[in-house]
Amino acid sequence: MTSNDSLARLAAVIESRKPANGGDPDKSYVARLLHKGPDAFLKKVGEEATEVVMAAKDAEHGGDRSKLVGEVADLWFHSMIALAHYGLAPADVLAELERREGLSGIEEKAMRKLRAREAGDD
């Protein structure tokens, strides 16, 4: 079993919890967040990102590193809810990471800026 399989299984569960697929907001946390709309799940993404930062800072000073893993898992989970809402999947993110493989971060950022400028000129 690969981590990609785990992400795909979780994405399928999230997809099944969409209100359009019969997800019940009274019985499912995911369905509740999706039912409430982007403000609800995006707020959770922001909260979890902050918790990742705090856990990393704690780990830097001798804190429990497993807390960082847990917070990143929470961030990924809530990010996957956002992806599902917008019709995207973990495979889309993995494809983007694979596209970037071998590029330096500096080159990749410069390419994104150039594309954004070109899109703005149209």
mmCIF file of all heavy atoms in Angstrom, residues 69-118:
data_model
loop_
_atom_site.group_PDB
_atom_site.id
_atom_site.type_symbol
_atom_site.label_atom_id
_atom_site.label_comp_id
_atom_site.label_asym_id
_atom_site.label_seq_id
_atom_site.Cartn_x
_atom_site.Cartn_y
_atom_site.Cartn_z
ATOM 1 N N VAL A 69 3.508 16.020 13.203
ATOM 2 C CA VAL A 69 2.932 15.063 12.253
ATOM 3 C C VAL A 69 1.403 15.114 12.323
ATOM 4 O O VAL A 69 0.719 15.162 11.294
ATOM 5 C CB VAL A 69 3.452 13.629 12.510
ATOM 6 C CG1 VAL A 69 2.704 12.613 11.662
ATOM 7 C CG2 VAL A 69 4.953 13.561 12.247
ATOM 8 N N GLY A 70 0.856 15.116 13.517
ATOM 9 C CA GLY A 70 -0.585 15.174 13.685
ATOM 10 C C GLY A 70 -1.194 16.443 13.115
ATOM 11 O O GLY A 70 -2.248 16.406 12.462
ATOM 12 N N GLU A 71 -0.534 17.554 13.324
ATOM 13 C CA GLU A 71 -1.061 18.823 12.813
ATOM 14 C C GLU A 71 -0.963 18.890 11.282
ATOM 15 O O GLU A 71 -1.858 19.417 10.626
ATOM 16 C CB GLU A 71 -0.343 20.014 13.448
ATOM 17 C CG GLU A 71 -0.581 20.161 14.946
ATOM 18 C CD GLU A 71 -2.043 20.304 15.351
ATOM 19 O OE1 GLU A 71 -2.910 20.612 14.503
ATOM 20 O OE2 GLU A 71 -2.334 20.096 16.545
ATOM 21 N N VAL A 72 0.117 18.360 10.723
ATOM 22 C CA VAL A 72 0.218 18.316 9.258
ATOM 23 C C VAL A 72 -0.876 17.411 8.701
ATOM 24 O O VAL A 72 -1.495 17.732 7.677
ATOM 25 C CB VAL A 72 1.627 17.886 8.802
ATOM 26 C CG1 VAL A 72 1.654 17.606 7.308
ATOM 27 C CG2 VAL A 72 2.652 18.974 9.149
ATOM 28 N N ALA A 73 -1.148 16.299 9.375
ATOM 29 C CA ALA A 73 -2.234 15.416 8.933
ATOM 30 C C ALA A 73 -3.566 16.169 8.932
ATOM 31 O O ALA A 73 -4.356 16.052 7.984
ATOM 32 C CB ALA A 73 -2.311 14.175 9.814
ATOM 33 N N ASP A 74 -3.814 16.952 9.976
ATOM 34 C CA ASP A 74 -5.040 17.753 10.032
ATOM 35 C C ASP A 74 -5.090 18.765 8.891
ATOM 36 O O ASP A 74 -6.140 18.962 8.265
ATOM 37 C CB ASP A 74 -5.151 18.493 11.362
ATOM 38 C CG ASP A 74 -5.404 17.578 12.548
ATOM 39 O OD1 ASP A 74 -5.783 16.408 12.340
ATOM 40 O OD2 ASP A 74 -5.222 18.057 13.690
ATOM 41 N N LEU A 75 -3.961 19.396 8.610
ATOM 42 C CA LEU A 75 -3.899 20.376 7.522
ATOM 43 C C LEU A 75 -4.160 19.708 6.180
ATOM 44 O O LEU A 75 -4.933 20.213 5.356
ATOM 45 C CB LEU A 75 -2.540 21.083 7.512
ATOM 46 C CG LEU A 75 -2.299 22.079 6.381
ATOM 47 C CD1 LEU A 75 -3.331 23.201 6.391
ATOM 48 C CD2 LEU A 75 -0.885 22.641 6.480
ATOM 49 N N TRP A 76 -3.523 18.570 5.950
ATOM 50 C CA TRP A 76 -3.744 17.847 4.692
ATOM 51 C C TRP A 76 -5.208 17.463 4.544
ATOM 52 O O TRP A 76 -5.803 17.614 3.485
ATOM 53 C CB TRP A 76 -2.867 16.600 4.631
ATOM 54 C CG TRP A 76 -1.420 16.857 4.358
ATOM 55 C CD1 TRP A 76 -0.743 18.041 4.425
ATOM 56 C CD2 TRP A 76 -0.446 15.880 3.993
ATOM 57 N NE1 TRP A 76 0.577 17.842 4.128
ATOM 58 C CE2 TRP A 76 0.785 16.533 3.859
ATOM 59 C CE3 TRP A 76 -0.513 14.511 3.794
ATOM 60 C CZ2 TRP A 76 1.951 15.862 3.511
ATOM 61 C CZ3 TRP A 76 0.651 13.838 3.447
ATOM 62 C CH2 TRP A 76 1.867 14.516 3.306
ATOM 63 N N PHE A 77 -5.793 16.933 5.634
ATOM 64 C CA PHE A 77 -7.186 16.502 5.605
ATOM 65 C C PHE A 77 -8.109 17.659 5.209
ATOM 66 O O PHE A 77 -8.943 17.532 4.310
ATOM 67 C CB PHE A 77 -7.576 15.943 6.982
ATOM 68 C CG PHE A 77 -9.023 15.601 7.103
ATOM 69 C CD1 PHE A 77 -9.535 14.464 6.502
ATOM 70 C CD2 PHE A 77 -9.884 16.412 7.827
ATOM 71 C CE1 PHE A 77 -10.887 14.144 6.612
ATOM 72 C CE2 PHE A 77 -11.225 16.104 7.948
ATOM 73 C CZ PHE A 77 -11.726 14.962 7.339
ATOM 74 N N HIS A 78 -7.956 18.790 5.879
ATOM 75 C CA HIS A 78 -8.828 19.932 5.578
ATOM 76 C C HIS A 78 -8.532 20.512 4.199
ATOM 77 O O HIS A 78 -9.442 20.984 3.514
ATOM 78 C CB HIS A 78 -8.740 20.981 6.686
ATOM 79 C CG HIS A 78 -9.408 20.518 7.947
ATOM 80 N ND1 HIS A 78 -8.734 19.825 8.916
ATOM 81 C CD2 HIS A 78 -10.694 20.605 8.361
ATOM 82 C CE1 HIS A 78 -9.579 19.510 9.886
ATOM 83 N NE2 HIS A 78 -10.772 19.971 9.569
ATOM 84 N N SER A 79 -7.291 20.445 3.771
ATOM 85 C CA SER A 79 -6.946 20.878 2.410
ATOM 86 C C SER A 79 -7.606 19.972 1.384
ATOM 87 O O SER A 79 -8.042 20.434 0.321
ATOM 88 C CB SER A 79 -5.423 20.878 2.208
ATOM 89 O OG SER A 79 -4.816 21.827 3.060
ATOM 90 N N MET A 80 -7.701 18.677 1.705
ATOM 91 C CA MET A 80 -8.360 17.735 0.792
ATOM 92 C C MET A 80 -9.857 18.025 0.680
ATOM 93 O O MET A 80 -10.459 17.839 -0.376
ATOM 94 C CB MET A 80 -8.104 16.297 1.232
ATOM 95 C CG MET A 80 -6.670 15.866 0.960
ATOM 96 S SD MET A 80 -6.305 14.199 1.559
ATOM 97 C CE MET A 80 -7.381 13.215 0.510
ATOM 98 N N ILE A 81 -10.463 18.509 1.755
ATOM 99 C CA ILE A 81 -11.866 18.915 1.687
ATOM 100 C C ILE A 81 -12.000 20.093 0.725
ATOM 101 O O ILE A 81 -12.911 20.125 -0.112
ATOM 102 C CB ILE A 81 -12.404 19.257 3.091
ATOM 103 C CG1 ILE A 81 -12.452 17.995 3.959
ATOM 104 C CG2 ILE A 81 -13.793 19.921 3.001
ATOM 105 C CD1 ILE A 81 -12.766 18.254 5.420
ATOM 106 N N ALA A 82 -11.080 21.045 0.815
ATOM 107 C CA ALA A 82 -11.104 22.186 -0.108
ATOM 108 C C ALA A 82 -10.917 21.711 -1.553
ATOM 109 O O ALA A 82 -11.653 22.143 -2.455
ATOM 110 C CB ALA A 82 -10.026 23.204 0.268
ATOM 111 N N LEU A 83 -9.967 20.827 -1.774
ATOM 112 C CA LEU A 83 -9.755 20.298 -3.125
ATOM 113 C C LEU A 83 -11.034 19.662 -3.662
ATOM 114 O O LEU A 83 -11.444 19.930 -4.801
ATOM 115 C CB LEU A 83 -8.627 19.261 -3.133
ATOM 116 C CG LEU A 83 -7.203 19.775 -2.967
ATOM 117 C CD1 LEU A 83 -6.245 18.611 -2.750
ATOM 118 C CD2 LEU A 83 -6.781 20.602 -4.161
ATOM 119 N N ALA A 84 -11.674 18.835 -2.838
ATOM 120 C CA ALA A 84 -12.900 18.147 -3.270
ATOM 121 C C ALA A 84 -13.992 19.145 -3.621
ATOM 122 O O ALA A 84 -14.690 18.977 -4.626
ATOM 123 C CB ALA A 84 -13.377 17.191 -2.185
ATOM 124 N N HIS A 85 -14.125 20.173 -2.819
ATOM 125 C CA HIS A 85 -15.155 21.189 -3.095
ATOM 126 C C HIS A 85 -14.964 21.805 -4.478
ATOM 127 O O HIS A 85 -15.935 22.084 -5.174
ATOM 128 C CB HIS A 85 -15.117 22.284 -2.028
ATOM 129 C CG HIS A 85 -16.039 23.416 -2.315
ATOM 130 N ND1 HIS A 85 -17.395 23.355 -2.068
ATOM 131 C CD2 HIS A 85 -15.812 24.636 -2.857
ATOM 132 C CE1 HIS A 85 -17.959 24.489 -2.441
ATOM 133 N NE2 HIS A 85 -17.022 25.288 -2.915
ATOM 134 N N TYR A 86 -13.707 21.996 -4.863
ATOM 135 C CA TYR A 86 -13.402 22.633 -6.145
ATOM 136 C C TYR A 86 -13.190 21.624 -7.266
ATOM 137 O O TYR A 86 -12.672 21.966 -8.329
ATOM 138 C CB TYR A 86 -12.206 23.570 -5.987
ATOM 139 C CG TYR A 86 -12.542 24.733 -5.073
ATOM 140 C CD1 TYR A 86 -12.023 24.795 -3.790
ATOM 141 C CD2 TYR A 86 -13.414 25.732 -5.480
ATOM 142 C CE1 TYR A 86 -12.350 25.842 -2.941
ATOM 143 C CE2 TYR A 86 -13.749 26.781 -4.631
ATOM 144 C CZ TYR A 86 -13.213 26.821 -3.372
ATOM 145 O OH TYR A 86 -13.551 27.857 -2.533
ATOM 146 N N GLY A 87 -13.586 20.376 -7.033
ATOM 147 C CA GLY A 87 -13.503 19.358 -8.078
ATOM 148 C C GLY A 87 -12.093 18.869 -8.359
ATOM 149 O O GLY A 87 -11.806 18.385 -9.452
ATOM 150 N N LEU A 88 -11.228 18.968 -7.362
ATOM 151 C CA LEU A 88 -9.834 18.539 -7.513
ATOM 152 C C LEU A 88 -9.568 17.375 -6.564
ATOM 153 O O LEU A 88 -10.361 17.077 -5.685
ATOM 154 C CB LEU A 88 -8.893 19.713 -7.222
ATOM 155 C CG LEU A 88 -9.066 20.914 -8.167
ATOM 156 C CD1 LEU A 88 -8.372 22.140 -7.603
ATOM 157 C CD2 LEU A 88 -8.549 20.568 -9.550
ATOM 158 N N ALA A 89 -8.418 16.736 -6.756
ATOM 159 C CA ALA A 89 -8.074 15.557 -5.962
ATOM 160 C C ALA A 89 -6.589 15.592 -5.603
ATOM 161 O O ALA A 89 -5.814 16.341 -6.219
ATOM 162 C CB ALA A 89 -8.382 14.294 -6.769
ATOM 163 N N PRO A 90 -6.194 14.769 -4.642
ATOM 164 C CA PRO A 90 -4.771 14.692 -4.296
ATOM 165 C C PRO A 90 -3.900 14.390 -5.514
ATOM 166 O O PRO A 90 -2.775 14.879 -5.597
ATOM 167 C CB PRO A 90 -4.707 13.556 -3.279
ATOM 168 C CG PRO A 90 -6.064 13.495 -2.689
ATOM 169 C CD PRO A 90 -7.006 13.899 -3.782
ATOM 170 N N ALA A 91 -4.416 13.616 -6.455
ATOM 171 C CA ALA A 91 -3.638 13.302 -7.660
ATOM 172 C C ALA A 91 -3.250 14.568 -8.420
ATOM 173 O O ALA A 91 -2.177 14.623 -9.030
ATOM 174 C CB ALA A 91 -4.435 12.367 -8.570
ATOM 175 N N ASP A 92 -4.101 15.594 -8.366
ATOM 176 C CA ASP A 92 -3.768 16.860 -9.032
ATOM 177 C C ASP A 92 -2.578 17.532 -8.356
ATOM 178 O O ASP A 92 -1.701 18.087 -9.025
ATOM 179 C CB ASP A 92 -4.981 17.803 -9.024
ATOM 180 C CG ASP A 92 -6.156 17.236 -9.796
ATOM 181 O OD1 ASP A 92 -5.982 16.911 -10.991
ATOM 182 O OD2 ASP A 92 -7.242 17.115 -9.210
ATOM 183 N N VAL A 93 -2.547 17.478 -7.036
ATOM 184 C CA VAL A 93 -1.430 18.061 -6.293
ATOM 185 C C VAL A 93 -0.156 17.258 -6.542
ATOM 186 O O VAL A 93 0.915 17.829 -6.775
ATOM 187 C CB VAL A 93 -1.747 18.132 -4.787
ATOM 188 C CG1 VAL A 93 -0.552 18.666 -3.993
ATOM 189 C CG2 VAL A 93 -2.986 18.995 -4.542
ATOM 190 N N LEU A 94 -0.280 15.923 -6.520
ATOM 191 C CA LEU A 94 0.890 15.078 -6.784
ATOM 192 C C LEU A 94 1.435 15.323 -8.185
ATOM 193 O O LEU A 94 2.654 15.374 -8.382
ATOM 194 C CB LEU A 94 0.533 13.609 -6.584
ATOM 195 C CG LEU A 94 0.205 13.218 -5.139
ATOM 196 C CD1 LEU A 94 -0.326 11.793 -5.084
ATOM 197 C CD2 LEU A 94 1.408 13.389 -4.238
ATOM 198 N N ALA A 95 0.544 15.495 -9.158
ATOM 199 C CA ALA A 95 0.991 15.777 -10.532
ATOM 200 C C ALA A 95 1.746 17.105 -10.586
ATOM 201 O O ALA A 95 2.762 17.221 -11.285
ATOM 202 C CB ALA A 95 -0.200 15.801 -11.487
ATOM 203 N N GLU A 96 1.280 18.082 -9.844
ATOM 204 C CA GLU A 96 1.976 19.375 -9.818
ATOM 205 C C GLU A 96 3.347 19.243 -9.163
ATOM 206 O O GLU A 96 4.331 19.809 -9.644
ATOM 207 C CB GLU A 96 1.131 20.429 -9.094
ATOM 208 C CG GLU A 96 1.802 21.770 -8.923
ATOM 209 C CD GLU A 96 2.172 22.489 -10.213
ATOM 210 O OE1 GLU A 96 1.719 22.095 -11.315
ATOM 211 O OE2 GLU A 96 2.944 23.484 -10.141
ATOM 212 N N LEU A 97 3.420 18.481 -8.079
ATOM 213 C CA LEU A 97 4.716 18.266 -7.433
ATOM 214 C C LEU A 97 5.677 17.521 -8.370
ATOM 215 O O LEU A 97 6.870 17.854 -8.436
ATOM 216 C CB LEU A 97 4.538 17.494 -6.124
ATOM 217 C CG LEU A 97 3.870 18.284 -5.001
ATOM 218 C CD1 LEU A 97 3.544 17.362 -3.833
ATOM 219 C CD2 LEU A 97 4.734 19.445 -4.545
ATOM 220 N N GLU A 98 5.149 16.535 -9.102
ATOM 221 C CA GLU A 98 5.985 15.806 -10.061
ATOM 222 C C GLU A 98 6.451 16.734 -11.180
ATOM 223 O O GLU A 98 7.589 16.636 -11.640
ATOM 224 C CB GLU A 98 5.221 14.615 -10.618
ATOM 225 C CG GLU A 98 5.058 13.506 -9.596
ATOM 226 C CD GLU A 98 4.086 12.419 -10.019
ATOM 227 O OE1 GLU A 98 3.597 12.443 -11.175
ATOM 228 O OE2 GLU A 98 3.800 11.547 -9.180
ATOM 229 N N ARG A 99 5.575 17.648 -11.604
ATOM 230 C CA ARG A 99 5.950 18.604 -12.648
ATOM 231 C C ARG A 99 7.114 19.466 -12.173
ATOM 232 O O ARG A 99 8.020 19.790 -12.929
ATOM 233 C CB ARG A 99 4.752 19.496 -13.012
ATOM 234 C CG ARG A 99 5.052 20.471 -14.162
ATOM 235 C CD ARG A 99 3.981 21.531 -14.313
ATOM 236 N NE ARG A 99 3.944 22.475 -13.208
ATOM 237 C CZ ARG A 99 4.819 23.469 -13.018
ATOM 238 N NH1 ARG A 99 5.850 23.625 -13.828
ATOM 239 N NH2 ARG A 99 4.689 24.292 -11.991
ATOM 240 N N ARG A 100 7.099 19.799 -10.897
ATOM 241 C CA ARG A 100 8.141 20.667 -10.334
ATOM 242 C C ARG A 100 9.431 19.922 -10.011
ATOM 243 O O ARG A 100 10.461 20.549 -9.782
ATOM 244 C CB ARG A 100 7.638 21.315 -9.048
ATOM 245 C CG ARG A 100 6.503 22.265 -9.249
ATOM 246 C CD ARG A 100 6.065 22.824 -7.927
ATOM 247 N NE ARG A 100 4.898 23.665 -8.039
ATOM 248 C CZ ARG A 100 4.392 24.357 -7.026
ATOM 249 N NH1 ARG A 100 4.962 24.291 -5.833
ATOM 250 N NH2 ARG A 100 3.320 25.100 -7.213
ATOM 251 N N GLU A 101 9.370 18.595 -9.968
ATOM 252 C CA GLU A 101 10.538 17.799 -9.601
ATOM 253 C C GLU A 101 11.702 18.124 -10.520
ATOM 254 O O GLU A 101 11.553 18.182 -11.737
ATOM 255 C CB GLU A 101 10.189 16.312 -9.713
ATOM 256 C CG GLU A 101 11.215 15.409 -9.113
ATOM 257 C CD GLU A 101 10.762 13.954 -9.121
ATOM 258 O OE1 GLU A 101 9.604 13.676 -9.475
ATOM 259 O OE2 GLU A 101 11.592 13.115 -8.777
ATOM 260 N N GLY A 102 12.836 18.367 -9.914
ATOM 261 C CA GLY A 102 14.025 18.670 -10.701
ATOM 262 C C GLY A 102 14.208 20.158 -10.967
ATOM 263 O O GLY A 102 15.263 20.576 -11.426
ATOM 264 N N LEU A 103 13.183 20.955 -10.715
ATOM 265 C CA LEU A 103 13.318 22.410 -10.859
ATOM 266 C C LEU A 103 13.809 22.971 -9.536
ATOM 267 O O LEU A 103 13.393 22.527 -8.477
ATOM 268 C CB LEU A 103 11.952 23.059 -11.155
ATOM 269 C CG LEU A 103 11.301 22.843 -12.499
ATOM 270 C CD1 LEU A 103 9.926 23.498 -12.509
ATOM 271 C CD2 LEU A 103 12.156 23.447 -13.599
ATOM 272 N N SER A 104 14.637 23.972 -9.615
ATOM 273 C CA SER A 104 14.987 24.642 -8.369
ATOM 274 C C SER A 104 13.779 25.474 -7.956
ATOM 275 O O SER A 104 12.989 25.923 -8.792
ATOM 276 C CB SER A 104 16.216 25.533 -8.546
ATOM 277 O OG SER A 104 15.850 26.802 -9.037
ATOM 278 N N GLY A 105 13.620 25.660 -6.673
ATOM 279 C CA GLY A 105 12.512 26.474 -6.173
ATOM 280 C C GLY A 105 12.553 27.885 -6.721
ATOM 281 O O GLY A 105 11.523 28.484 -7.016
ATOM 282 N N ILE A 106 13.739 28.407 -6.885
ATOM 283 C CA ILE A 106 13.889 29.772 -7.406
ATOM 284 C C ILE A 106 13.426 29.829 -8.859
ATOM 285 O O ILE A 106 12.689 30.735 -9.252
ATOM 286 C CB ILE A 106 15.360 30.239 -7.261
ATOM 287 C CG1 ILE A 106 15.708 30.369 -5.772
ATOM 288 C CG2 ILE A 106 15.591 31.543 -8.003
ATOM 289 C CD1 ILE A 106 17.170 30.561 -5.491
ATOM 290 N N GLU A 107 13.819 28.826 -9.657
ATOM 291 C CA GLU A 107 13.390 28.800 -11.066
ATOM 292 C C GLU A 107 11.883 28.624 -11.167
ATOM 293 O O GLU A 107 11.222 29.279 -11.965
ATOM 294 C CB GLU A 107 14.067 27.633 -11.809
ATOM 295 C CG GLU A 107 15.545 27.820 -12.049
ATOM 296 C CD GLU A 107 16.193 26.541 -12.594
ATOM 297 O OE1 GLU A 107 15.523 25.482 -12.631
ATOM 298 O OE2 GLU A 107 17.366 26.616 -12.978
ATOM 299 N N GLU A 108 11.329 27.742 -10.346
ATOM 300 C CA GLU A 108 9.891 27.464 -10.403
ATOM 301 C C GLU A 108 9.094 28.707 -10.045
ATOM 302 O O GLU A 108 8.114 29.046 -10.696
ATOM 303 C CB GLU A 108 9.551 26.308 -9.455
ATOM 304 C CG GLU A 108 8.241 25.612 -9.777
ATOM 305 C CD GLU A 108 7.031 26.386 -9.330
ATOM 306 O OE1 GLU A 108 7.100 27.068 -8.299
ATOM 307 O OE2 GLU A 108 5.999 26.305 -10.015
ATOM 308 N N LYS A 109 9.524 29.425 -9.019
ATOM 309 C CA LYS A 109 8.826 30.645 -8.607
ATOM 310 C C LYS A 109 8.910 31.695 -9.705
ATOM 311 O O LYS A 109 7.927 32.380 -10.008
ATOM 312 C CB LYS A 109 9.405 31.178 -7.294
ATOM 313 C CG LYS A 109 8.631 32.343 -6.723
ATOM 314 C CD LYS A 109 9.153 32.735 -5.365
ATOM 315 C CE LYS A 109 8.367 33.890 -4.805
ATOM 316 N NZ LYS A 109 8.832 34.278 -3.489
ATOM 317 N N ALA A 110 10.060 31.823 -10.331
ATOM 318 C CA ALA A 110 10.219 32.786 -11.430
ATOM 319 C C ALA A 110 9.303 32.430 -12.599
ATOM 320 O O ALA A 110 8.700 33.314 -13.219
ATOM 321 C CB ALA A 110 11.679 32.836 -11.889
ATOM 322 N N MET A 111 9.161 31.128 -12.885
ATOM 323 C CA MET A 111 8.276 30.705 -13.972
ATOM 324 C C MET A 111 6.823 31.034 -13.652
ATOM 325 O O MET A 111 6.074 31.483 -14.518
ATOM 326 C CB MET A 111 8.438 29.208 -14.245
ATOM 327 C CG MET A 111 9.728 28.889 -14.988
ATOM 328 S SD MET A 111 10.070 27.112 -15.200
ATOM 329 C CE MET A 111 8.509 26.414 -15.602
ATOM 330 N N ARG A 112 6.414 30.842 -12.385
ATOM 331 C CA ARG A 112 5.035 31.168 -11.998
ATOM 332 C C ARG A 112 4.776 32.663 -12.143
ATOM 333 O O ARG A 112 3.724 33.069 -12.617
ATOM 334 C CB ARG A 112 4.758 30.733 -10.558
ATOM 335 C CG ARG A 112 4.311 29.297 -10.460
ATOM 336 C CD ARG A 112 3.855 28.934 -9.074
ATOM 337 N NE ARG A 112 5.026 28.816 -8.208
ATOM 338 C CZ ARG A 112 5.069 29.169 -6.939
ATOM 339 N NH1 ARG A 112 4.032 29.672 -6.348
ATOM 340 N NH2 ARG A 112 6.164 29.018 -6.238
ATOM 341 N N LYS A 113 5.747 33.487 -11.737
ATOM 342 C CA LYS A 113 5.587 34.939 -11.855
ATOM 343 C C LYS A 113 5.474 35.347 -13.321
ATOM 344 O O LYS A 113 4.657 36.192 -13.680
ATOM 345 C CB LYS A 113 6.763 35.670 -11.194
ATOM 346 C CG LYS A 113 6.686 35.714 -9.700
ATOM 347 C CD LYS A 113 7.835 36.533 -9.134
ATOM 348 C CE LYS A 113 7.748 36.631 -7.636
ATOM 349 N NZ LYS A 113 8.844 37.418 -7.070
ATOM 350 N N LEU A 114 6.293 34.741 -14.169
ATOM 351 C CA LEU A 114 6.262 35.052 -15.596
ATOM 352 C C LEU A 114 4.903 34.668 -16.187
ATOM 353 O O LEU A 114 4.298 35.452 -16.923
ATOM 354 C CB LEU A 114 7.393 34.316 -16.330
ATOM 355 C CG LEU A 114 7.452 34.500 -17.846
ATOM 356 C CD1 LEU A 114 7.673 35.973 -18.189
ATOM 357 C CD2 LEU A 114 8.562 33.654 -18.437
ATOM 358 N N ARG A 115 4.423 33.481 -15.846
ATOM 359 C CA ARG A 115 3.099 33.046 -16.349
ATOM 360 C C ARG A 115 1.996 33.987 -15.880
ATOM 361 O O ARG A 115 1.082 34.295 -16.630
ATOM 362 C CB ARG A 115 2.798 31.619 -15.916
ATOM 363 C CG ARG A 115 3.351 30.604 -16.899
ATOM 364 C CD ARG A 115 2.896 29.244 -16.489
ATOM 365 N NE ARG A 115 3.773 28.982 -15.381
ATOM 366 C CZ ARG A 115 4.194 27.846 -14.888
ATOM 367 N NH1 ARG A 115 3.782 26.820 -15.282
ATOM 368 N NH2 ARG A 115 5.038 27.709 -13.950
ATOM 369 N N ALA A 116 2.072 34.428 -14.640
ATOM 370 C CA ALA A 116 1.051 35.336 -14.103
ATOM 371 C C ALA A 116 1.090 36.665 -14.846
ATOM 372 O O ALA A 116 0.054 37.242 -15.179
ATOM 373 C CB ALA A 116 1.261 35.552 -12.607
ATOM 374 N N ARG A 117 2.294 37.150 -15.133
ATOM 375 C CA ARG A 117 2.426 38.402 -15.885
ATOM 376 C C ARG A 117 1.857 38.257 -17.286
ATOM 377 O O ARG A 117 1.149 39.121 -17.782
ATOM 378 C CB ARG A 117 3.902 38.831 -15.941
ATOM 379 C CG ARG A 117 4.207 39.976 -15.012
ATOM 380 C CD ARG A 117 5.616 40.467 -15.162
ATOM 381 N NE ARG A 117 6.421 39.671 -14.220
ATOM 382 C CZ ARG A 117 7.605 39.184 -14.464
ATOM 383 N NH1 ARG A 117 8.211 39.406 -15.596
ATOM 384 N NH2 ARG A 117 8.243 38.493 -13.574
ATOM 385 N N GLU A 118 2.193 37.131 -17.927
ATOM 386 C CA GLU A 118 1.704 36.887 -19.288
ATOM 387 C C GLU A 118 0.180 36.778 -19.302
ATOM 388 O O GLU A 118 -0.461 37.273 -20.206
ATOM 389 C CB GLU A 118 2.331 35.623 -19.870
ATOM 390 C CG GLU A 118 3.795 35.782 -20.208
ATOM 391 C CD GLU A 118 4.470 34.461 -20.589
ATOM 392 O OE1 GLU A 118 3.850 33.387 -20.381
ATOM 393 O OE2 GLU A 118 5.609 34.518 -21.070
#
